[in-house]
Amino acid sequence: MAVAPPTPSSSTLVSATEAALVTLAPPPESASQLIKDTCLAHPDKVLTTAFARSVFKLAKDATGTTTIGVAFPPAPASTDASTELDLLALGVSALHAYAQVNWTGPTLPLDPLALFGDEERDGAGWNETQLNDSAIDNLAYCGEPAYHLAKKSTFLLLALQIFGLVPSPFATDAGVRTVGGNDWTLESIKVWRLRAGIMWIKVLDEPVPLPPTIPADAVELRNRLPSDSPIRPHLSLSLSILATILSRTSPHSSAQKEASNLAREAAKEVGLEWSLTGRMGKRTKWQIDEKTQLVVLARDRSEQKPKEEKKEGDGYKVPEVFALNDDTLLESTAFTEQATPSTSEDTSLESLDPSDQPTVSAFSQSVLLSLSIATLPHPTSLLHLHADVLSTSQVSAFVARVLADPKNWSVTSMALLLRCRGEAGRSRTVERGVLQMQALVDQLKDGSPTEVSAISSAVKEEDMAEARDRLECFHALNIPPAWEMERELATRYLSLGISKSALEIFERLEMWEEVAKCWVSLERPEKGVAVIKDLLSGGRAESDLVMDGRKGGNVFRGGEKREAKLWCTLGELENDPKHYEKAWEVSKGTSSRAQRSLGAVYWKTNDWDKATIALRLALKINPLFPRTWFVLGCCEMRVQNWAGAQEAFGRCVGLEEEDAESWSNLASCHLRRGEIEGDVDEEEDEEKIEEGVDSTGVVGATSAKEKEDKDGDEAAVERLPFSRKRAAYHCLRQAIKYSYESWRMWFNYMVVAVDVGELSEACRALGRIVEMRATKDGESAIDLEVLERLVDAVTRDQGGDEEDEQGKPYIDPNVGKGLAPRVEDLITKTIVPRISNSPRVFLAHARLLFWSADYAGALDAHLKAYRVGVATDATVEHDKQKFKDAAERVEEVVGMLENLGPKDGKDGKEVAPDWKYQARSLVRTFLGRTKESFEDEPEFEKLKELVAELR
């Protein structure tokens, strides 16, 4: 998308030249030639200028260690920012050169050695491989190595040093003001630090969080930019992509929701109107009846031109789009024509024809692709998109909207990649998906460490888009690097049973862990073990082009972090924890995976202390593993370190908000800490606790709390601080949200809700438990103590007149009139239709009805309680204690008949005119049943006297 230079409203923060660099738009005429070449994506011209060679430095010490860095020029006068702008352009060109080589293509015939002066380059016999190896070693971050076959990594390292993400070994002494590094005055540097950071973590084996100042500075700049700034939507999408990457280990995480919100904001900022809706149409060739089909309607306010009639790809160079060529499925959905054509006055999205929508800009198409993932109904791993039919249908609708109007090479590539992922699960589309994936891999000639595949021919040179067109929307798309594309292709082959081809790709990519997994899938794990051992012993040579000279003797010289990864893989294959210890040793204490694996081993052997130490070491290096936080929390609970467990589960739900078990365990931590520590710490934020946010800064947490003895209920209420219980209550509320079918979660929630006085929620929880357990467990599904406490809360309320802030009568939903309808529905609509043989349920109902002055209903409930209790209990005829209890119950029922029978009901009539007859019949029946066994008992004689009184 060609973006116009920014309006003057944004010039106070970001100059027109800076905006042009961000959007790759034509810069102002006053800009330097270096900046103009950068905006045209000519890194070969920018990076070989005299200015660039004065900045880029190269050295080798006495030990042969290569040092690559940037020597920042002195700071210019405050009125002259040309040096700083030129240095920014230099960093942008280096970053885009790396992206062109490893992401977008086309081939970049620029040798990184050409960036340095002749004396530095020729002084010690440099070659590109040595330079690349040194750069890759320096790109390792937080214990995660960079992919060792990435090409021309010198470009990325230099860009990171210019932007200040990596310190330069050639920086001037501290206290000397320079341009670049951490001394930038340009606001747009925050954009480039974010973009460079995203590219950096994409080349690592596992995503790790960037320094918090980078996203924080970007958010701060975004908030300060005016709404009409062209940079703002670019920032929003970059932040959305970062959140998506960090949610990779857990698609349920809160980062995914943040990504969704940012993508929606980007759509607003760029003026994109969109709607995911349904229209009638046909999907197959032989379909007779039209069905509702998902469709994305979109209109870009910045693109007012009507869609021109032209052939696909005319005017725009885009990748080859493979046709489906199926005998049943249509190439695209055939939507029904509208019965009443829309008029020019009708400007709503619903008026658009799905088959002939207006054109949208390339950047707006990037926003649509981000929205396709960010707005999924269920969090889904991108590599397994096909596993969820609903998610696949939604993404397909967005992709179809983009492919119907191709405008940009990278945007179309990303759309095709998403389509390939969605088509992997259908037999009619899986072939097209694999072939299209192969074509996408082949188009990135220079981005892949392998040659072009023979399965799909390379893109012809005349059909290839220029580098600027490919890079224009690159930072707005979550495109994987070339080797990840090939890994995904091999994974597709493996899922189709084409194991040999998958194995060949993994071997070419030197992804030895995947090679070992392939051998395991082929039921030959010993081959995988042999591969790893050969690598570690030096018996197997890696790529001659890339790994030349990095092995010698029996010492693995592929990098300490890569060697540690191989030891971990060997440990998994041989199930030997000694290999994990070796991995930790060779990594010099930087392998998070080694400690995670050791922690898992100690957990299985019940060595909680060692497991805790190992897991904390792992999470200190890379904290983006929610399952590791969960196991750590469990270990802390085992050793009764409730504060440590609370921290662990708090971090766990922060990464994976929909983890109900972690919420439950976090609630347990709150309760246990309350029992042991007494009141809440002074540092605890009372308001946050009320909102369900604990001191870790995470909303809620829960643990399965065992129900306490009834006799100790009041004592527990006195011991537990109310604020701790309130936090536990909010945690459990989150738990039931994400584990709605777990009656144990509901039981814990019910108990804590009663403790904190949230009786309306306790009522809801009891009803849910009965619904889930009644069929299997019968009366035991009802917590009768909780039910009776709910009735007590209704009947004991004094009903004082209270008013809210507006002066209106306030009804507390947890007592009296506010709670009564809920308890009434619980008994009559939930419990009794499922469980009708519990006397205590009917007695509780009788008390509730008596409180509401429904005397007829109360008397009927008492009689039902008698019928399902005494009247059907055969043990009263031979068990003396049961007989005595039953006799007492008979007297109570007779008393209720005597008291309530003569009263007037709600209809104004007497409740039971024949109450004496009913009472006599009830007593006589009971006496007849028990006469043979208990005629001589005083209770029997007392009942006989009662019969005489009722005559």
Side-chain angles (χ1 to χ4, degrees):
M1 176 186 71
V3 182
T7 59
S9 60
S10 62
S11 61
T12 55
L13 281 177
V14 179
S15 67
T17 303
E18 293 176 76
L21 287 171
V22 170
T23 60
L24 288 188
E29 289 296 326
S30 59
S32 66
Q33 186 60 43
L34 190 144
I35 292 175
K36 292 178 181 178
D37 288 336
T38 300
C39 292
L40 292 173
H42 292 159
D44 51 339
K45 296 181 180 179
V46 176
L47 299 179
T48 56
T49 59
F51 176 72
R53 288 178 175 171
S54 69
V55 171
F56 299 142
K57 298 298 178 182
L58 186 62
K60 181 181 288 188
D61 58 21
T63 62
T65 303
T66 304
T67 303
I68 308 169
V70 175
F72 299 113
S78 59
T79 57
D80 179 18
S82 59
T83 303
E84 198 167 22
L85 284 171
D86 286 347
L87 186 62
L88 177 64
L90 206 60
V92 172
S93 288
L95 192 67
H96 283 170
Y98 187 72
Q100 183 177 337
V101 171
N102 293 284
W103 265 274
T104 65
T107 300
L108 179 65
L110 175 62
D111 188 342
L113 283 172
L115 275 59
F116 305 97
D118 295 338
E119 295 181 1
E120 296 174 324
R121 184 172 62 246
D122 302 332
W126 300 97
N127 61 60
E128 183 180 347
T129 302
Q130 291 175 322
L131 204 62
N132 194 51
D133 291 347
S134 176
I136 288 175
D137 290 340
N138 283 285
L139 287 175
Y141 180 56
C142 286
E144 296 295 339
Y147 180 58
H148 66 289
L149 294 187
K151 290 189 173 182
K152 303 184 180 181
S153 301
T154 306
F155 295 144
L156 178 59
L157 180 61
L158 292 173
L160 294 175
Q161 290 182 356
I162 290 175
F163 297 147
L165 276 72
V166 173
S168 171
F170 296 97
T172 56
D173 296 334
V176 178
R177 175 74 172 87
T178 60
V179 174
N182 295 316
D183 297 324
W184 288 90
T185 61
L186 300 177
E187 288 290 340
S188 63
I189 189 60
K190 299 173 182 178
V191 180
W192 289 108
R193 281 175 176 162
L194 178 63
R195 288 179 168 184
I198 291 173
M199 288 180 61
W200 188 11
I201 60 178
K202 279 185 177 182
V203 303
L204 302 178
D205 282 357
E206 293 289 345
V208 295
L210 290 172
T213 55
I214 294 176
D217 288 346
V219 170
E220 182 264 343
L221 174 61
R222 177 180 174 272
N223 293 335
R224 290 165 52 208
L225 285 170
S227 58
D228 61 345
S229 171
I231 296 180
R232 183 162 177 153
H234 286 263
L235 253 181
S236 298
L237 271 194
S238 293
L239 288 167
S240 177
I241 291 172
L242 177 63
T244 300
I245 294 172
L246 296 183
S247 67
R248 174 179 151 188
T249 55
S250 173
H252 294 274
S253 71
S254 56
Q256 184 65 24
K257 294 184 178 180
E258 181 184 352
S260 174
N261 294 334
L262 288 165
R264 293 175 187 272
E265 288 296 319
K268 294 178 182 178
E269 292 160 358
V270 80
L272 174 67
E273 294 180 309
W274 67 279
S275 174
L276 178 65
T277 184
R279 289 291 177 87
M280 300 301 292
K282 297 179 180 179
R283 188 66 188 91
T284 65
K285 296 178 180 179
W286 318 114
Q287 186 175 339
I288 298 177
D289 298 329
E290 297 173 339
K291 304 293 183 182
T292 304
Q293 310 289 341
L294 270 179
V295 62
V296 171
L297 303 176
R299 177 172 51 204
D300 192 347
R301 289 299 187 187
S302 64
E303 291 276 338
Q304 299 297 334
K305 298 181 297 182
K307 187 174 180 180
E308 300 176 358
E309 292 291 337
K310 58 175 181 269
K311 297 180 180 180
E312 181 178 346
D314 186 19
Y316 301 101
K317 295 181 179 180
V318 296
E320 179 184 4
V321 180
F322 280 55
L324 185 58
N325 294 328
D326 187 72
D327 58 357
T328 301
L329 294 179
L330 294 170
E331 291 292 334
S332 59
T333 303
F335 292 101
T336 305
E337 294 185 4
Q338 293 179 324
T340 57
S342 60
T343 61
S344 58
E345 290 79 11
D346 191 355
T347 60
S348 65
L349 279 177
E350 293 301 321
S351 65
L352 296 179
D353 182 358
S355 302
D356 187 23
Q357 298 189 52
T359 185
V360 296
S361 66
F363 183 79
S364 293
Q365 291 181 345
S366 303
V367 176
L368 285 174
L369 293 179
S370 294
L371 288 166
S372 70
I373 300 299
T375 59
L376 288 178
H378 299 289
T380 305
S381 173
L382 294 184
L383 294 182
H384 301 91
L385 187 62
H386 60 278
D388 187 343
V389 177
L390 185 59
S391 297
T392 302
S393 301
Q394 176 171 318
V395 172
S396 297
F398 282 93
V399 168
R401 178 66 180 92
V402 173
L403 294 181
D405 185 24
K407 284 195 169 186
N408 179 271
W409 181 282
S410 296
V411 174
T412 305
S413 296
M414 186 65 196
L416 291 172
L417 175 60
L418 290 175
R419 191 179 73 175
C420 293
R421 290 168 173 171
E423 290 181 342
R426 297 189 63 185
S427 59
R428 291 188 177 274
T429 58
V430 63
E431 181 180 358
R432 197 259 297 266
V434 172
L435 291 175
Q436 186 72 71
M437 178 78 73
Q438 182 70 67
L440 291 175
V441 170
D442 290 347
Q443 76 180 14
L444 306 175
K445 294 180 181 179
D446 199 40
S448 171
T450 64
E451 296 298 327
V452 177
S453 168
I455 298 178
S456 176
S457 61
V459 182
K460 297 178 181 179
E461 186 173 352
E462 59 269 19
D463 296 331
M464 294 175 61
E466 296 180 355
R468 182 194 170 279
D469 294 335
R470 301 189 187 208
L471 292 169
E472 184 180 20
C473 295
F474 168 72
H475 296 290
L477 299 165
N478 192 13
I479 301 179
W483 58 86
E484 288 294 338
M485 294 270 284
E486 285 208 77
R487 183 210 292 261
E488 193 169 337
L489 175 63
T491 303
R492 291 281 174 265
Y493 282 152
L494 198 59
S495 66
L496 295 175
I498 314 175
S499 302
K500 186 176 180 180
S501 296
L503 188 61
E504 289 176 356
I505 293 176
F506 286 135
E507 287 181 340
R508 288 201 310 269
L509 297 176
E510 297 181 5
M511 296 180 176
W512 303 115
E513 184 176 6
E514 304 299 332
V515 170
K517 290 179 181 178
C518 277
W519 284 116
V520 171
S521 69
L522 293 172
E523 298 182 357
R524 300 187 64 183
E526 70 281 356
K527 294 283 289 184
V529 172
V531 169
I532 303 299
K533 287 186 174 180
D534 284 349
L535 284 167
L536 292 171
S537 64
R540 173 186 288 262
E542 294 193 288
S543 171
D544 293 335
L545 294 176
V546 179
M547 302 300 296
D548 183 35
R550 297 180 74 174
K551 289 182 181 295
N554 292 326
V555 181
F556 182 83
R557 297 181 61 190
E560 58 191 26
K561 293 177 176 60
R562 290 198 59 243
E563 182 180 1
K565 184 178 178 181
L566 290 175
W567 279 111
C568 289
T569 302
L570 185 60
E572 293 172 359
L573 292 172
E574 295 189 334
N575 196 24
D576 188 350
K578 292 182 180 178
H579 295 324
Y580 303 133
E581 295 173 356
K582 179 66 174 178
W584 181 251
E585 177 185 342
V586 300
S587 71
K588 299 178 182 178
T590 61
S591 174
S592 174
R593 180 180 173 184
Q595 289 298 332
R596 288 199 304 271
S597 301
L598 280 174
V601 171
Y602 293 140
W603 166 261
K604 292 178 182 178
T605 58
N606 299 335
D607 194 338
W608 319 122
D609 292 327
K610 287 185 177 181
T612 299
I613 295 172
L615 294 174
R616 287 203 174 276
L617 283 172
L619 292 168
K620 185 177 180 181
I621 298 170
N622 189 347
L624 296 181
F625 290 89
R627 287 293 89 188
T628 306
W629 282 111
F630 182 84
V631 176
L632 174 61
C634 293
C635 290
E636 297 285 19
M637 291 179 75
R638 293 282 188 173
V639 298
Q640 299 187 8
N641 179 11
W642 304 110
Q646 178 180 325
E647 177 197 2
F649 289 121
R651 295 293 296 273
C652 187
V653 297
L655 289 168
E656 191 169 355
E657 187 180 357
E658 298 186 14
D659 186 354
E661 195 170 357
S662 292
W663 283 113
S664 180
N665 289 342
L666 188 51
S668 282
C669 295
H670 280 297
L671 294 170
R672 297 298 184 187
R673 288 190 70 183
E675 291 177 345
I676 297 171
E677 301 174 14
D679 206 353
V680 183
D681 295 338
E682 294 181 0
E683 298 178 358
E684 195 80 48
D685 190 331
E686 196 73 28
E687 294 183 1
K688 284 188 176 181
I689 292 176
E690 288 298 318
E691 296 171 0
V693 183
D694 63 10
S695 57
T696 64
V698 181
V699 181
T702 52
S703 97
K705 180 183 178 293
E706 296 293 334
K707 187 178 178 183
E708 300 178 359
D709 294 336
K710 312 305 183 286
D711 296 338
D713 281 348
E714 295 184 2
V717 171
E718 293 176 0
R719 283 202 318 272
L720 286 176
F722 184 78
S723 56
R724 287 283 184 199
K725 288 191 297 181
R726 175 63 62 173
Y729 164 76
H730 285 287
C731 293
L732 285 167
R733 189 165 188 168
Q734 294 290 324
I736 61 171
K737 183 190 300 184
Y738 303 120
S739 186
Y740 193 76
E741 300 299 325
S742 171
W743 70 264
R744 289 181 176 83
M745 293 285 187
W746 281 99
F747 180 81
N748 298 333
Y749 180 59
M750 176 186 68
V751 172
V752 176
V754 170
D755 283 348
V756 300
E758 295 287 348
L759 298 183
S760 60
E761 284 297 298
C763 183
R764 181 170 75 101
L766 179 56
R768 181 66 185 141
I769 293 170
V770 171
E771 290 173 356
M772 290 186 286
R773 297 186 59 201
T775 303
K776 181 179 180 181
D777 299 324
E779 184 181 2
S780 61
I782 310 171
D783 193 311
L784 295 169
E785 285 78 10
V786 171
L787 177 62
E788 291 169 351
R789 185 161 179 175
L790 292 173
V791 174
D792 288 341
V794 174
T795 58
R796 293 178 183 177
D797 180 52
Q798 299 299 321
D801 295 332
E802 298 183 16
E803 295 181 351
D804 59 15
E805 296 178 355
Q806 287 76 30
K808 298 179 180 180
Y810 171 72
I811 299 177
D812 190 341
N814 295 309
V815 293
K817 295 180 181 179
L819 182 61
R822 294 176 173 85
V823 180
E824 175 69 20
D825 288 346
L826 170 66
I827 296 174
T828 58
K829 297 181 180 180
T830 303
I831 297 179
V832 173
R834 294 173 173 82
I835 304 167
S836 57
N837 61 345
S838 174
R840 291 178 66 178
V841 171
F842 287 111
L843 289 174
H845 193 202
R847 286 197 294 131
L848 185 67
L849 293 171
F850 183 81
W851 172 83
S852 63
D854 185 358
Y855 302 124
L859 180 58
D860 182 61
H862 274 289
L863 291 174
K864 287 180 179 178
Y866 176 80
R867 294 189 192 106
V868 301
V870 175
T872 59
D873 188 359
T875 61
V876 300
E877 300 175 11
H878 53 77
D879 188 311
K880 186 175 181 179
Q881 184 59 46
K882 289 291 185 71
F883 165 74
K884 291 182 178 181
D885 295 340
E888 183 179 349
R889 180 74 189 114
V890 169
E891 292 184 40
E892 292 176 0
V893 175
V894 171
M896 295 305 300
L897 283 166
E898 183 177 2
N899 293 328
L900 300 180
K903 289 182 177 291
D904 293 336
K906 290 186 176 181
D907 56 0
K909 298 180 181 179
E910 192 174 351
V911 172
D914 60 343
W915 68 269
K916 284 189 177 183
Y917 172 76
Q918 292 186 45
R920 285 198 307 271
S921 299
L922 186 147
V923 178
R924 285 174 177 173
T925 302
F926 180 76
L927 291 175
R929 292 175 59 199
T930 58
K931 180 177 180 181
E932 183 177 349
S933 301
F934 303 110
E935 185 176 7
D936 298 332
E937 295 296 327
E939 288 82 5
F940 192 88
E941 291 297 327
K942 189 174 181 181
L943 291 178
K944 288 174 64 178
E945 294 174 1
L946 183 59
V947 172
E949 293 176 0
L950 293 172
R951 291 178 181 175

